[in-house]
Amino acid sequence: MVRGKFLLCRFFSVLLIGGVIVAGGAQEAAGAPGPVVDLGAFPVDSDSRATAINDDGTMAGVYSSPAQGSIAARWNPDGAVVPLAVPSTHRMTEARAINAKGFIAGSAYDSISVRRPVLWRPDGSFTELSSPDRYGHSEATAVNTAGVVAGTVTIGTPPAERAARWDAKGVMTLLPLAPGDTKSAAAAINDAGVIVGTSGEKAVRWNPDGTVVRLPLLPADDRGSAQGVNSAGVVVGVSGVHPVRWAANGAVTALPSLRPEDPAGNAKAINDSGVITGHSGVGGGRHSAVVWDARGAIAGLGTLPGHDQSAGAAINSRGVVVGDSELTSARGRHAARWTAPGKATDLSRSFPGGDRAEAFAINVHGQAIGESLPPEGMTHPVTWTPGGVLTDLSPGSNTPEANAINVHGVIVGTDNRKLNKDRAIRWAPDGTMTALKEPEYYTYRSRANGINDSGVIVGSASSRRGSSHPTRWAPDGTPSLLPVLPGHAGGTAKAINNRGVIIGSSGIRNETSDHVARWDPDGTVTELMGLPGEKHTRAVALNDRGDVVGYSGEHPVRWSPDGRITKLLLPEGTSRGKATGISDTGVVSGSYDFGVAGTPGQGVRWAPDGTVTELPSLPGGQETKANGINALGDIVGSSDNGSGQVHAVRWPATWTQIPVVIR
């Protein structure tokens, strides 16, 4: 059977009973199928937090997407959210501060995955700020009304973090260290240019002339940090584990807690009226967002409904607080805004859930397998019937993976829940999971990678001291080792067709090259050669005619039954790709990418004559991935939808194809 991966339809109404989800709303209406069918994913709660608010009520913060990681965002006063755009060479963004004019400071990862300090203008345009070390992580953490930015950069060897200031023209200045210190970080800046943060492990203030002043800690405390400063120069932060306030003259005062028996907390920000926000312990290791008034009296702000923990991060002149709220027993913080104690607004409702799923394989009946990310945050193997019923193959554990499915709905894969070791497994059509017997002396690890319609399974097994060895299991579960190529020490079997032909890999001990192996039904092994000059060649799938597909180096390839290799053509301007499956009529699935950082990859289909067609994404999406194809030519994989989600999808074999330019 062809190797691949797959999932279900979109969740409009969901009923969960045991491990089964009944879902409706897939794009499978009567009549001709569309170009792409959204199979959906487990719905996952969003993870977000608000970090800043200005006097207009505009907020900044971040939300997390499994597809894109952290994404900087701006909320309008009415709560509508706008992701902050970055060039294609940047990704993984975070917004930390906003000034009165709407400039937002934060960070973004660049083309070589280094975090850079950045600034977004009110019109949404993006600027990367300078930093002294091309390969050192840096970030902008605060910005005042004049456009002066404070943050932290990395310098030197070994690398050390240093507080820095950028003037309105973008010129950077390192802030001095307190005597004896080797590192520092800036947290906040006021409109007078006073910056606060840490030097070494203690709170400091940098005056506008650049001089550094240590802020005293509470008696018996040996560390602390300054987190916020207002226009009068009053500073707030933490001393040891206690929230504190420093007067403009530097005198320190401990702020009260909600519960005297739980004094831990943090003061994060202060407005010009002297009102402070942060959090205070409420017992059980949890904390609540709070405000302290100008006299120091504390009031708890509470949480969003159903949550048990919250924290304040910023406060404006009107006393509006923003931060986050969460249920500690479940995944997903929610950005929140408080206008008064107990008056919380959930800002995360504007975000899509962080859904993520991917389809791996599909049989001729339309039953599919794959994985999805449930609310607890770890992927589960799943299967779907053609009618749209999703079954969690491992409702009590998140360790198994499903790798292949045959025409009868028998699924094979790998589990590592026992002793943290891989174990080949098989799911019967009723969902019963059974561990496969391992060959004698090869009981350390095993994996099941493929299955044909007769129930013959292939994969690998390994001894404690040896390499993995290609393995075949008979329909009754009896294991046997497959021979490797002459002079080789091990390998793995990847897929098997209905004639009993197996493909996989074979290798020499301690050699980095990959060799493609094909086993005939009688066990005879031969090598399928890669493209000239390429060391790494892999076979991924085969059909019942004996055609094999995979990749050699960075090129998608196909082998004919007699072993001749053909390089599959790629769309113009692309640099590399892989073939992932082949139907009985010779249609090949696969993917390519441009090789440019930030450029999305694309799923493709090759016709038997080699014509290549791009597979369309879900509406609003850009990136697709094709993982597997059944004998009829239906392809499964994944697509983003432009909203931070990645869903499993199916491309029906019958949709109208528009070939693209090839090179």
Side-chain angles (χ1 to χ4, degrees):
M1 286 295 293
V2 176
R3 166 69 171 87
K5 296 194 173 186
F6 183 149
L7 293 168
L8 164 70
C9 41
R10 188 163 182 82
F11 295 74
F12 288 94
S13 60
V14 180
L15 173 63
L16 177 61
I17 304 176
V20 178
I21 296 177
V22 181
Q27 300 174 20
E28 295 185 85
V36 58
V37 177
D38 186 346
L39 298 169
F42 284 125
V44 177
D45 202 359
S46 63
D47 190 283
S48 61
R49 64 186 187 278
T51 58
I53 182 171
N54 65 15
D55 288 347
D56 294 332
T58 304
M59 298 157 282
V62 63
Y63 71 96
S64 295
S65 155
Q68 298 171 279
S70 61
I71 302 167
R74 179 185 65 220
W75 287 269
N76 297 327
D78 63 1
V81 65
V82 178
L84 296 174
V86 296
S88 62
T89 51
H90 291 69
R91 61 180 181 82
M92 292 279 287
T93 55
E94 183 170 358
R96 296 288 300 274
I98 185 171
N99 71 8
K101 297 178 180 179
F103 286 80
I104 296 173
S107 62
Y109 283 85
D110 66 9
S111 59
I112 60 172
S113 298
V114 174
R115 189 175 68 244
R116 315 298 293 178
V118 301
L119 192 68
W120 288 273
R121 296 181 179 85
D123 64 3
S125 58
F126 169 92
T127 298
E128 180 183 315
L129 301 172
S130 63
S131 51
D133 190 332
R134 179 69 183 90
Y135 302 100
H137 292 292
S138 304
E139 62 181 338
T141 54
V143 57
N144 68 11
T145 302
V148 179
V149 177
T152 305
V153 300
T154 302
I155 63 171
T157 304
E161 292 184 341
R162 288 287 300 274
R165 175 180 59 207
W166 292 265
D167 66 21
K169 296 181 179 180
V171 178
M172 189 203 75
T173 303
L174 289 177
L175 298 174
L177 295 163
D181 293 335
T182 59
K183 64 178 182 177
S184 59
I189 184 173
N190 68 11
D191 286 346
V194 175
I195 298 172
V196 298
T198 58
S199 180
E201 302 291 341
K202 297 181 180 178
V204 294
R205 177 184 68 219
W206 287 275
N207 297 319
D209 63 3
T211 55
V212 60
V213 177
R214 284 199 189 277
L215 297 173
L217 301 175
L218 297 174
D221 288 337
D222 60 358
R223 62 181 58 197
S225 63
Q227 304 285 341
V229 58
N230 68 6
S231 61
V234 180
V235 181
V236 295
V238 63
S239 174
V241 298
H242 308 92
V244 295
R245 173 176 55 198
W246 288 274
N249 64 5
V252 62
T253 303
L255 295 169
S257 58
L258 288 174
R259 293 161 53 105
E261 64 272 27
D262 192 354
N266 196 357
K268 292 288 292 184
I270 181 171
N271 68 12
D272 287 346
S273 299
V275 182
I276 303 164
T277 190
H279 66 261
S280 180
V282 292
R286 299 188 301 275
H287 51 255
S288 172
V290 296
V291 290
W292 292 271
D293 66 20
R295 296 171 299 173
I298 189 173
L301 293 175
T303 66
L304 292 170
H307 290 182
D308 58 10
Q309 179 167 278
S310 60
I315 185 170
N316 68 8
S317 64
R318 300 178 182 178
V320 179
V321 172
V322 294
D324 60 80
S325 177
E326 65 181 320
L327 177 63
T328 54
S329 61
R331 181 183 185 275
R333 287 178 298 181
H334 290 213
R337 175 178 58 194
W338 290 266
T339 54
K343 300 291 185 180
T345 300
D346 190 344
L347 297 172
S348 74
R349 293 181 180 178
S350 299
F351 296 127
D355 300 354
R356 186 174 184 89
E358 190 168 355
F360 300 151
I362 180 172
N363 67 17
V364 293
H365 296 310
Q367 184 181 356
I369 60 170
E371 65 185 18
S372 186
L373 187 72
E376 63 267 26
M378 295 293 289
T379 56
H380 280 216
V382 291
T383 182
W384 294 263
T385 67
V389 178
L390 180 151
T391 300
D392 186 344
L393 291 171
S394 181
S397 169
N398 52 33
T399 54
E401 61 183 45
N403 294 326
I405 182 171
N406 71 7
V407 70
H408 306 295
V410 180
I411 300 166
V412 296
T414 306
D415 184 22
N416 67 356
R417 77 177 74 190
K418 292 186 178 180
L419 302 177
N420 204 31
K421 296 177 182 178
D422 290 342
R423 186 74 185 269
I425 53 175
R426 173 175 54 195
W427 283 275
D430 65 1
T432 303
M433 186 178 73
T434 304
L436 295 174
K437 182 181 179 182
E438 291 156 328
E440 188 176 8
Y441 308 121
Y442 287 81
T443 58
Y444 185 58
R445 297 182 189 277
S446 60
R447 295 182 62 85
N449 296 322
I451 183 173
N452 68 9
D453 292 344
S454 298
V456 180
I457 300 167
V458 296
S460 64
S462 61
S463 63
R464 181 174 295 273
R465 296 183 180 180
S467 303
S468 63
H469 204 93
T471 304
R472 175 173 53 196
W473 286 268
D476 65 1
T478 302
S480 59
L481 298 176
L482 294 169
V484 295
L485 293 169
H488 288 195
T492 186
K494 184 69 173 176
I496 181 172
N497 69 12
N498 287 324
R499 292 175 47 240
V501 178
I502 301 167
I503 53 98
S505 63
S506 177
I508 300 171
R509 191 184 302 277
N510 300 323
E511 185 186 65
T512 58
S513 298
D514 296 321
H515 300 261
V516 174
R518 181 181 62 199
W519 291 268
D520 292 332
D522 63 3
T524 303
V525 60
T526 57
E527 182 172 1
L528 298 179
M529 303 305 296
L531 295 173
E534 297 292 355
K535 293 178 62 177
H536 301 287
T537 302
R538 290 286 179 92
V540 177
L542 78 166
N543 63 14
D544 285 347
R545 298 190 312 189
D547 299 302
V548 179
V549 295
Y551 55 94
S552 184
E554 296 182 342
H555 308 286
V557 295
R558 175 171 58 193
W559 289 270
S560 62
D562 62 5
R564 289 180 293 110
I565 188 171
T566 301
K567 185 176 177 180
L568 295 172
L569 296 175
L570 289 169
E572 185 175 2
T574 62
S575 63
R576 55 179 179 258
K578 296 180 179 180
T580 57
I582 183 166
S583 75
D584 283 350
T585 59
V587 178
V588 179
S589 64
S591 300
Y592 72 83
D593 65 68
F594 288 95
V596 178
T599 302
Q602 190 74 29
V604 292
R605 172 185 355 217
W606 286 274
D609 64 1
T611 303
V612 62
T613 306
E614 291 185 352
L615 298 172
S617 66
L618 293 171
Q622 298 184 66
E623 186 166 5
T624 60
K625 184 180 178 184
N627 287 323
I629 187 170
N630 66 12
L632 304 176
D634 299 314
I635 297 173
V636 292
S638 63
S639 171
D640 75 308
N641 60 8
S643 299
Q645 300 166 313
V646 175
H647 281 192
V649 296
R650 178 176 71 244
W651 292 276
T654 54
W655 68 275
T656 302
Q657 304 179 30
I658 302 175
V660 298
V661 178
I662 59 175
R663 59 175 175 83

